[in-house]
Amino acid sequence: MQRFSCGMSQGAVGNSGRLCYGCYMIRFLCLFLFVGGLLWTLPAAALPPPDDPPEEVLRTEIITEARSPVDGEPVSPGEYARLQEELSDRGTPILSRRVSNTIRLLRIRQAIRSLFPFLLP
């Protein structure tokens, strides 16, 4: 005959085999302590590595190496500034009348669809 931690034997509990309230509480406490012990020993995965510099320090550093926005090759800071100036002097490209009209119609269609989504497919 099996005995429970409350000192009662299985026959004394009844034919249903149910445990008393104290047995449930003891099992719950053991499970809680076991899971809590497992979680307590796990390392903190959200923390950065200790040798990683903080973001505040990285924001104050002066970047001396750069990559070309055209082809991605490494360039010196002077060449990078010259490339940025050349690219900003170009301005926006001029589109043909047909393409700009198509873009305008697509923007109007998008505005109509946001107001009345059931009208256009």
Side-chain angles (χ1 to χ4, degrees), residues 63 65-76 80 83-84:
I63 300 172
E65 66 271 350
R67 294 204 169 264
S68 168
V70 178
D71 55 3
E73 294 293 320
V75 294
S76 68
Y80 182 77
L83 277 173
Q84 288 288 57

Side-chain angles (χ1 to χ4, degrees), residues 30-48:
C30 289
L31 179 67
F32 182 75
L33 291 175
F34 177 73
V35 172
L38 285 178
L39 294 176
W40 186 266
T41 58
L42 293 176
L47 295 176

